Amino acid sequence: MKTDVIEKKLGESTLRHTERLALWKKIKAAWQDDGVIGVEGLLGGMAASLEEKKSQICTRLAKEVGINDGDNQES
Amino acid sequence: MATIKSLKPSYFRGFTKECPLDLSSPVTILYGGNAVGKSSVLNVIEWCLFGESCTGRDTGLRERVDWEPQNRKDPDKCKVQLVCQFDDGEVVFERGTSKKRGRSGLVIEFLGGTRLQGDDAELWVKKNIGSFSNFMATVYQHQENIRHLAVAQPKDQREAISRLLGLSDYNDLAELIRKSDLTRVMDSIEKELDWWDHLAYEKTSALTEHNKQIGQKISVDPDTVFPETVKEAASRVLGLTSNFTGKKKGKWELPVVPTSPDAFNDFVSIVIKCARDCFGALPVTERSQELNEEVTKIEGAIGRLRQAAEEKGTANKKLRDFEQEHGTSKDIGEVVSKLTEKKCGLEERLKALNQLTAALNSLLTYMTEHGQGLGEGECPACGSRTSDQQAYLRQRVEALLSTEGKSIQDELKDTGRLEKEAEETLRELERKERQLETAIKTMASAEKEVAQNLLITWKENEDPLQVLKKRLEATKSEAAKVEEELKKAADNLLSIETECDRLKDLAIIWANHELSKRLSSIKDGLTYKELKSLGEEAGQLKLDCQAIVDAVISARDIESHDIVKASKSKVREYFAALADNPGIDAIEMTMETKWGSENYSFCDSAGENVIPILSLGDLNSLALAIFAGLGEANRDALAFRSIVFDDPSQSMGSHHKKKLAELINTLAQKRQVIVSTMDKEFFEALNSDITAHKKCVTFEGWDPELGPRISD
């Protein structure tokens, strides 16, 4: 895999190229170390972290507003 | 890059006993008829490396649906071993169906004895060799796949060619990022934001409706309910309760008015409990209970005494009535005595009569025995003059017995009966006397017991029943007064409870007002902004992922362009060598990217697509040219240096076969080649044209017990 080409392309991004390169380096490392499982684990972990953050914020929001936290889970 | 050194199937497919096979030559030709085990040898390689992945519908191979690796003779003994030479040493792969070998059944042993098994071994294969489909596109040219490569749908063709180019990593990685959980989570955050946005409106409407309903219930305009309103109502409740419990200061501690609407449920519960406890402990409550108990006791006592008096009266009346009819016990006793005396007299008389008749009978017997008194003379008993003394005497005895004797006996019998009747009457009288006595005792006992229970001392000549009736009247009168007081207290308690219910409803209206306010200002809050910011962060991440996917696809296209460019001459050359079709001057493989996917086309020098005009043999030739040409150009990216052809000469004429043998000879200069064929002509071409060191393995037949018969 020509990772240098990928990095060059990402470096050319007009937006967030530093963040994109950093994310790519993580994906590349996971791919090289553990292949599909590694990338699934990395992205799955990021997703889980976002999910957890979302869940915590929503719990706090529900508490602040004073509604049952379970209500929004139904949505 | 790895090469295949040897393999050893055992109870695998058509193999029964263990059958080692050396494949280390640069070229190995497996030759034999149909169904003798050639393909099974090739299957060993793929099943050993990929296990379940090379079976089933997902392989895209028709023959793999319901495909069984194990020999049915003894399925549990199914085992295969594959030895490969990697750059850093020999690696032994072993797979069996036995569960003892780990969950996946694969064991890998490296030079030096290091071993991997189960999921670890499968992961090693995935990382170092790749997937089964990768292997099928780059190493193992399965007969079913040959034509597929040339005529498959663009998507399948793309995938196969990408793998052949060693570009599947790009596709796999791009697909992984596209389908990752991140996308789902990002969507769920957006959905969450939408939910909170809609919540304010929907929930506020619901709260307003709820307040309206409560307002109707308690006759209050909800818009006039403010915190102060609720607190004032709470103070009123406290005032009422305090008045109610006032007499017992200190004991009934009342809560303070809450400052939050949510705390009013607890407040009301405490107040109601306090009021109810206080009500339960009021003096009138206790006195009312005492009086009610007293009334019950007196009524019980009256009932008891009444019953005893009735029983006594009944017994007395029965006795008096009896005495009136039969006389007193003295009278009856005298009657009994007289009758007894009379009976004794009668018995004496009877006894005397019996003695007299006995004496006369003795006399009569004597006279009869001695022949005396047979004629006229004086009766020796009474001295009367008779014509026949014996007859007279006999007559007298009989007369005595039949008249006087009978009369005495009859009278005695009557007297005895009368005496018995009199005695029975006397006994009956005595029974009645005893019954009266018992009733009197019962009465006395009841009076004593009532006196003890009610703490009363009976005065002389006092009627206990009258005493009790007076006492009952007094107790009832007091109870009525106490009951009135109690009712007032109960009314007070009820009004406290009613006020409490109203207070709860007011607090709900207040709480709903508060919640509505909070909902209306939800978007101004920091937490909502935090969620919004998380949504933006997720959105950025989504764009970042898309940018990475675009970069990966872009890199893939650049690389595939390079490879296609580098290999198109080889594909053209191999196709020309294999097909030798006069209608096609040259073949040009080109690639263009559309909608993020690369598409391959095969045209002649005029730019026309040649696929529709190719014969079956030419299509095979094209597929083999692509397979060999791309593999040649890209061989550094491949995990295996080996290339496996399974029956590649299908639908080919003699000329094509000869050309294919020459092509394989060319490939064998750079790659290890394993060819399986049943085609004698092709086998002979291979034998004559291949200059590299080659090994021919002939499959002479197959035996159900012994498996394939093989000779080197």
Side-chain angles (χ1 to χ4, degrees):
Chain A
M1 191 182 283
K2 294 192 180 300
T3 56
D4 53 334
V5 177
I6 296 170
E7 279 153 27
K8 186 166 174 279
K9 287 274 171 197
L10 289 172
E12 288 166 2
S13 301
T14 49
L15 294 167
R16 293 172 56 86
H17 57 267
T18 314
E19 290 87 347
R20 286 173 185 181
L21 267 172
L23 176 59
W24 161 248
K25 280 182 181 164
K26 282 184 197 168
I27 293 173
K28 184 174 76 173
W31 178 258
Q32 286 170 346
D33 290 348
D34 295 308
V36 173
I37 293 167
V39 177
E40 277 174 350
L42 172 71
L43 299 180
M46 289 169 73
S49 163
L50 276 174
E51 183 89 57
E52 174 67 17
K53 266 189 196 171
K54 184 201 84 172
S55 171
Q56 284 173 358
I57 295 172
C58 289
T59 304
R60 266 192 289 135
L61 198 51
K63 203 174 168 187
E64 281 172 20
V65 174
I67 61 159
N68 185 357
D69 190 28
D71 286 356
N72 60 343
Q73 300 307 316
E74 289 164 18
S75 69
Chain B
M1 284 174 85
T3 53
I4 296 163
K5 283 185 78 176
S6 66
L7 49 81
K8 190 161 61 183
S10 175
Y11 288 92
F12 175 81
R13 302 285 290 161
F15 289 93
T16 49
K17 59 182 181 180
E18 203 170 72
C19 182
L21 215 62
D22 178 24
L23 299 174
S24 59
S25 293
V27 177
T28 304
I29 304 164
L30 310 176
Y31 173 63
N34 244 337
V36 289
K38 303 187 302 298
S39 292
S40 295
V41 169
L42 306 182
N43 294 154
V44 168
I45 303 168
E46 45 180 338
W47 190 71
C48 188
L49 292 173
F50 304 104
E52 292 272 301
S53 304
C54 68
T55 67
R57 204 170 293 277
D58 289 347
T59 58
L61 302 173
R62 279 193 305 274
E63 69 159 36
R64 292 299 163 86
V65 180
D66 299 328
W67 191 80
E68 286 180 7
Q70 65 274 30
N71 186 290
R72 288 187 177 177
K73 274 198 151 325
D74 199 343
D76 288 342
K77 283 187 184 170
C78 174
K79 189 174 79 175
V80 294
Q81 188 194 69
L82 172 69
V83 182
C84 295
Q85 182 65 46
F86 281 75
D87 293 340
D88 45 3
E90 195 177 88
V91 179
V92 180
F93 300 87
E94 209 172 287
R95 186 184 291 276
T97 49
S98 167
K99 298 273 185 285
K100 288 175 194 164
R101 292 189 171 276
R103 207 146 49 98
S104 75
L106 178 65
V107 177
I108 305 175
E109 188 168 337
F110 299 93
L111 191 68
T114 313
R115 283 162 71 91
L116 286 176
Q117 62 180 32
D119 289 344
D120 292 339
E122 300 286 359
L123 188 63
W124 190 93
V125 170
K126 210 171 260 186
K127 277 175 68 177
N128 292 280
I129 296 173
S131 65
F132 171 64
S133 47
N134 211 17
F135 181 81
M136 289 296 282
T138 59
V139 178
Y140 183 178
Q141 189 57 70
H142 190 276
Q143 48 182 302
E144 234 183 277
N145 268 352
I146 289 180
R147 280 189 301 281
H148 194 62
L149 189 63
V151 295
Q153 291 297 311
K155 184 176 172 290
D156 297 337
Q157 190 187 56
R158 271 201 306 274
E159 192 184 323
I161 294 178
S162 289
R163 291 190 192 290
L164 211 52
L165 295 175
L167 303 176
S168 52
D169 279 2
Y170 290 104
N171 292 344
D172 292 347
L173 186 54
E175 198 63 8
L176 265 178
I177 300 171
R178 274 196 206 106
K179 289 186 175 170
S180 76
D181 267 359
L182 271 174
T183 311
R184 184 187 58 75
V185 174
M186 288 160 198
D187 291 345
S188 88
I189 294 173
E190 280 172 16
K191 202 174 161 193
E192 193 73 43
L193 279 162
D194 280 351
W195 188 84
W196 284 103
D197 287 347
H198 283 97
L199 178 74
Y201 173 74
E202 286 171 8
K203 190 91 178 169
T204 305
S205 303
L207 291 169
T208 306
E209 182 56 31
H210 189 206
N211 275 358
K212 199 175 150 190
Q213 286 170 2
I214 298 172
Q216 281 170 352
K217 182 182 148 196
I218 59 171
S219 305
V220 160
D221 177 2
D223 293 339
T224 62
V225 176
F226 301 102
E228 290 68 30
T229 323
V230 184
K231 287 178 190 170
E232 278 165 19
S235 296
R236 270 201 310 280
V237 166
L238 281 183
L240 279 173
T241 316
S242 179
N243 284 340
F244 187 64
T245 61
K247 288 176 188 169
K248 301 206 174 194
K249 267 179 190 170
K251 194 171 178 185
W252 316 105
E253 194 148 340
L254 290 170
V256 292
V257 175
T259 51
S260 154
D262 301 332
F264 276 84
N265 258 345
D266 289 346
F267 172 83
V268 162
S269 299
I270 296 169
V271 168
I272 288 179
K273 185 180 184 306
C274 198
R276 282 179 184 167
D277 287 354
C278 178
F279 178 79
L282 280 174
V284 284
T285 311
E286 286 173 24
R287 186 63 190 143
S288 171
Q289 276 177 357
E290 283 169 11
L291 289 170
N292 285 334
E293 284 167 13
E294 179 81 2
V295 165
T296 311
K297 272 162 84 175
I298 296 170
E299 284 174 345
I302 288 173
R304 174 114 196 258
L305 288 188
R306 265 189 186 144
Q307 193 186 350
E310 266 176 32
E311 282 169 5
K312 183 185 157 191
T314 308
N316 190 40
K317 186 174 183 301
K318 279 182 181 172
L319 178 62
R320 299 303 155 225
D321 290 349
F322 195 84
E323 279 178 343
Q324 207 165 11
E325 190 181 343
H326 300 282
T328 63
S329 59
K330 190 183 165 194
D331 299 339
I332 301 168
E334 281 172 6
V335 170
V336 171
S337 296
K338 280 179 185 169
L339 287 168
T340 307
E341 201 179 325
K342 185 181 175 187
K343 196 175 87 178
C344 286
L346 285 169
E347 280 170 351
E348 283 299 319
R349 275 178 64 200
L350 187 63
K351 191 178 169 186
L353 183 67
N354 285 340
Q355 283 172 348
L356 177 64
T357 53
L360 290 177
N361 276 333
S362 297
L363 179 63
L364 192 60
T365 305
Y366 179 82
M367 286 167 76
T368 307
E369 283 174 2
H370 290 87
Q372 292 178 0
L374 289 172
E376 189 180 354
E378 281 180 3
C379 172
C382 64
S384 304
R385 204 65 203 158
T386 72
S387 57
D388 187 339
Q389 290 174 45
Q390 278 191 26
Y392 175 77
L393 200 55
R394 196 171 288 120
Q395 215 172 6
R396 282 289 296 164
V397 169
E398 280 171 9
L400 273 173
L401 287 173
S402 65
T403 54
E404 197 174 345
K406 189 173 181 299
S407 164
I408 293 169
Q409 274 183 338
D410 286 349
E411 198 173 352
L412 188 61
K413 199 176 171 186
D414 286 346
T415 308
R417 184 178 52 79
L418 288 172
E419 184 198 35
K420 273 185 185 170
E421 282 175 6
E423 281 171 352
E424 181 54 36
T425 307
L426 187 60
R427 278 197 293 276
E428 181 62 26
L429 182 73
E430 283 166 356
R431 254 199 309 277
K432 294 204 179 317
E433 282 172 345
R434 282 198 302 277
Q435 280 172 353
L436 178 60
E437 200 179 326
T438 306
I440 290 166
K441 277 183 188 168
T442 307
M443 179 79 190
S445 159
E447 284 172 358
K448 193 178 170 191
E449 201 178 308
V450 167
Q452 277 173 353
N453 280 350
L454 296 173
L455 304 171
I456 296 173
T457 310
W458 306 119
K459 290 175 189 165
E460 208 174 335
N461 297 327
E462 195 175 46
D463 179 0
L465 262 174
Q466 290 308 315
V467 172
L468 287 180
K469 279 178 184 170
K470 276 185 189 169
R471 187 159 172 177
L472 178 64
E473 204 175 314
T475 309
K476 277 185 171 174
S477 168
E478 191 187 347
K481 284 177 192 163
V482 168
E483 194 62 32
E484 206 166 318
E485 277 183 61
L486 192 64
K487 191 173 174 301
K488 279 182 195 165
D491 287 345
N492 286 338
L493 176 64
L494 185 65
S495 65
I496 291 170
E497 286 176 343
T498 309
E499 283 299 314
C500 279
D501 285 346
R502 184 181 161 79
L503 178 61
K504 266 161 74 176
D505 286 335
L506 287 171
I508 292 170
I509 293 176
W510 177 17
N512 287 347
H513 281 324
E514 292 287 312
L515 182 52
S516 290
K517 271 188 217 164
R518 287 197 299 274
L519 286 166
S520 305
S521 59
I522 194 170
K523 288 186 180 174
D524 301 329
L526 286 175
T527 314
Y528 178 85
K529 284 176 182 166
E530 210 178 321
L531 183 62
K532 187 99 183 159
S533 155
L534 186 73
E536 282 163 8
E537 189 189 322
Q540 292 285 6
L541 200 54
K542 195 173 178 178
L543 292 174
D544 292 348
C545 287
Q546 187 52 52
I548 290 170
V549 168
D550 291 346
V552 168
I553 296 296
S554 180
R556 179 203 68 189
D557 290 348
I558 290 168
E559 193 173 348
S560 57
H561 267 292
D562 291 348
I563 297 170
V564 168
K565 198 174 163 190
S567 59
K568 60 175 27 173
S569 60
K570 277 283 174 198
V571 173
R572 188 167 51 226
E573 179 193 327
Y574 289 154
F575 179 73
L578 284 171
D580 200 16
N581 187 325
I584 302 167
D585 50 356
I587 198 160
E588 188 74 14
M589 179 180 178
T590 55
M591 189 204 105
E592 59 174 326
T593 304
K594 249 187 192 175
W595 310 111
S597 301
E598 71 277 39
N599 289 304
Y600 299 92
S601 60
F602 303 92
C603 303
D604 58 17
S605 56
E608 293 286 327
N609 182 8
V610 296
I611 301 293
I613 59 164
L614 292 180
S615 67
L616 212 54
D618 285 343
L619 278 173
N620 277 0
S621 300
L622 176 61
L624 288 166
I626 297 166
F627 179 66
L630 294 184
E632 175 75 10
N634 190 44
R635 66 177 193 280
D636 292 344
L638 303 174
F640 270 92
R641 204 166 72 80
S642 316
I643 187 165
V644 177
F645 291 99
D646 186 9
D647 204 7
S649 61
Q650 281 184 81
S651 309
M652 285 184 169
S654 304
H655 180 69
H656 278 110
K657 290 173 190 169
K658 184 82 179 152
K659 294 281 184 184
L660 179 58
E662 287 168 14
L663 173 63
I664 288 175
N665 187 44
T666 309
L667 290 172
Q669 308 307 312
K670 292 163 187 168
R671 299 183 73 169
Q672 179 193 23
V673 180
I674 300 168
V675 193
S676 158
T677 184
M678 56 182 287
D679 185 335
K680 193 179 177 197
E681 190 180 9
F682 179 53
F683 173 67
E684 282 166 0
L686 287 170
N687 248 338
S688 65
D689 291 342
I690 288 182
T691 54
H693 178 70
K694 61 179 177 289
K695 178 181 178 183
C696 294
V697 182
T698 308
F699 288 72
E700 291 167 346
W702 181 80
D703 184 281
E705 293 301 321
L706 302 170
R709 288 198 306 279
I710 301 170
S711 66
D712 288 353

